Amino acid sequence: MEEKKMFTEKESLELISQMIQMTKENLERGSGNVFLIYGYAAVALSVVVYAAVYITGRPLWNALWFLMFIPAIVMKVLQVRKKPSVVTHMDKMLAHTWCIVGSLFGLTVVAMLLIGMVIGSCNFGLMLPLCLLYAGIGTSITGLIVRVPALVYSPLVAFLVAVYMLMVLTNGGRVAPEWNLYFGFSFLLMMVIPGHLLNKKAAAYAC
């Protein structure tokens, strides 16, 4: 009986290990591109928004950040076209994690609009630190699930930048144009570099 129990535990560990490996391979085959699409979009927009605000002196150009919803639409189309041949429980966990993170972006915008209508003002500058926190949490959870340290620790700078922004805002400060560059740099470390690492591993698996 004890021998059978030990054998079952061993089988369970092997099954978990296989699931992690399959999830890693599924992630690396396509989701490296997910990180790259969001990462490069954020880096490009950060430069464009910073330049527009700096040159014109009009914070209204910060509204260009709403273009970040376009990569979400692109990725949805790509996911429909190409799905992994084997979907593990961990793949579903990852999908649910990013579904929640994506929902938080949309819900935050709606909540800020509604609350702004009630109190008479709406500071969308809060979206920069909140988005860094949401994306950072999603990235770290992804790294924990697939056991990729680069994903677990890459959001640390983003967390620090987000805390800095929140502290400035809560102490009566205002959103500075260079915050856009801080945001883009955070996504460079948090998504672009890990995305290339994942794709590099994917190429190695293909060989």
Side-chain angles (χ1 to χ4, degrees):
M1 188 71 177
E2 185 67 25
E3 183 179 348
K4 178 64 176 176
K5 182 180 178 181
M6 290 178 64
F7 180 73
T8 303
E9 288 174 353
K10 183 180 178 181
E11 282 188 329
S12 299
L13 290 173
E14 289 178 352
L15 179 61
I16 292 172
S17 179
Q18 289 175 6
M19 287 178 62
I20 291 173
Q21 188 60 37
M22 290 172 63
T23 303
K24 271 187 180 182
E25 292 180 11
N26 288 340
L27 179 71
E28 289 161 357
R29 287 191 187 108
S31 290
N33 295 329
V34 174
F35 287 98
L36 291 178
I37 288 174
Y38 282 110
Y40 276 120
V43 171
L45 266 177
S46 70
V47 176
V48 171
V49 175
Y50 168 76
V53 174
Y54 182 80
I55 293 171
T56 65
R58 301 185 63 185
L60 184 64
W61 287 104
N62 286 304
L64 288 173
W65 279 113
F66 285 105
L67 293 175
M68 281 297 293
F69 284 102
I70 293 178
I73 298 173
V74 172
M75 293 312 306
K76 191 66 177 177
V77 173
L78 292 177
Q79 287 173 0
V80 170
R81 290 182 178 179
K82 185 177 181 181
K83 294 182 179 179
S85 56
V86 179
V87 179
T88 67
H89 176 65
M90 291 184 180
D91 289 324
K92 293 179 181 178
M93 288 174 61
L94 287 175
H96 292 323
T97 295
W98 284 102
C99 181
I100 292 172
V101 171
S103 298
L104 285 174
F105 287 112
L107 288 173
T108 300
V109 173
V110 174
M112 290 178 70
L113 287 172
L114 294 176
I115 296 172
M117 292 173 62
V118 174
I119 65 177
S121 65
C122 184
N123 184 4
F124 274 107
L126 283 170
M127 284 300 295
L128 286 177
L130 291 178
C131 287
L132 285 177
L133 291 175
Y134 297 157
I137 290 171
T139 302
S140 288
I141 291 175
T142 299
L144 289 171
I145 291 174
V146 299
R147 298 182 182 179
V148 176
L151 293 176
V152 177
Y153 299 109
S154 61
L156 288 178
V157 172
F159 289 146
L160 291 175
V161 172
V163 172
Y164 161 74
M165 291 178 176
L166 290 172
M167 289 184 68
V168 170
L169 291 173
T170 55
N171 282 280
R174 303 178 66 180
V175 176
E178 58 266 23
W179 282 18
N180 294 292
L181 297 180
Y182 299 162
F183 189 93
F185 180 70
S186 298
F187 265 74
L188 177 68
L189 296 180
M190 178 170 58
M191 290 194 168
V192 174
I193 294 176
H196 280 296
L197 290 175
L198 287 173
N199 282 350
K200 187 177 181 181
K201 286 187 177 182
Y205 276 119
C207 295

